[in-house]
């Protein structure tokens, strides 16, 4: 972009002295310091405008995510109730499986039955 000259009217003289003093400390001219501040401010305004546009999109994403969570929770509840009904019908039509489950548990991992109930770590010293 090309350089543009802008005349700024009615600036307080005291403010200009402060800017010139600060510019001298930073080894730049007062015009450079003012130009940098205007550019920084312009960038900030651009970011603020962009964030306003993005806020609407982010709000829509949050709403969509909340809808997905509600749907997931509802589905989980439905599947849980469905599982309860299936189990109750299986219990009605099939004999109880408690004896079979105990037998499976007793036969599972027979090597663990030979392990001591407690370990004395002093034996390893």
């Amino acid at each position: 972009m090309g350089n543009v000259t802008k005349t700024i009217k009615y600036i307080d003289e005291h403010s200009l002295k402060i800017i010139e003093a600060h510019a001298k400390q930073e080894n730049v001219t007062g015009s450079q310091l003012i130009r940098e501040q205007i550019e920084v401010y312009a960038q900030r305004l651009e970011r603020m405008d962009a964030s306003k546009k993005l806020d609407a999109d982010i709000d829509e994403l949050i709403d969509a995510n909340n809808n997905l969570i509600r749907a997931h929770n509802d589905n989980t509840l439905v599947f849980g109730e469905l599982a309860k009904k299936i189990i109750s019908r299986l219990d009605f039509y099939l004999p109880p499986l408690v004896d079979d489950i105990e037998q499976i548990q007793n036969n599972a991992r027979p090597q663990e039955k030979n392990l001591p109930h407690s370990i004395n770590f002093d034996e390893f010293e």
Side-chain angles (χ1 to χ4, degrees):
M1 292 197 336
N3 293 334
V4 176
T5 301
K6 182 76 173 173
T7 302
I8 303 173
K9 299 177 185 177
Y10 311 114
I11 296 178
D12 181 34
E13 187 177 339
H14 177 71
S15 298
L16 282 177
K17 286 181 182 178
I18 293 172
I19 290 171
E20 290 294 334
H22 191 71
K24 189 179 274 189
Q25 287 176 350
E26 294 193 18
N27 294 326
V28 295
T29 66
S31 295
Q32 285 176 312
L33 186 60
I34 292 171
R35 184 174 45 250
E36 288 175 10
Q37 292 303 311
I38 290 172
E39 289 171 358
V40 167
Y41 185 69
Q43 290 172 356
R44 190 170 128 219
L45 291 175
E46 273 185 331
R47 283 194 305 271
M48 287 172 39
D49 289 342
S51 72
K52 287 177 188 174
K53 293 173 186 172
L54 290 175
D55 283 347
D57 293 338
I58 290 171
D59 288 343
E60 286 181 22
L61 287 173
I62 290 170
D63 287 341
N65 189 43
N66 288 339
N67 288 337
L68 284 173
I69 290 171
R70 277 193 291 278
H72 177 73
N73 290 342
D74 291 345
N75 287 340
T76 302
L77 181 64
V78 168
F79 280 118
E81 292 301 317
L82 184 62
K84 287 180 190 176
K85 287 203 180 273
I86 290 171
I87 290 170
S88 68
R89 289 189 181 174
L90 283 175
D91 285 344
F92 179 76
Y93 290 110
L94 295 174
L97 300 175
V98 174
D99 295 336
D100 294 338
I101 292 171
E102 280 185 26
Q103 182 181 1
I104 290 170
Q105 287 176 342
N106 288 337
N107 292 334
R109 300 182 183 160
Q111 70 275 11
E112 291 181 2
K113 293 180 182 176
N114 298 329
L115 293 175
H117 294 291
S118 64
I119 297 174
N120 184 1
F121 289 103
D122 293 333
E123 295 178 6
F124 299 108
E125 290 182 2

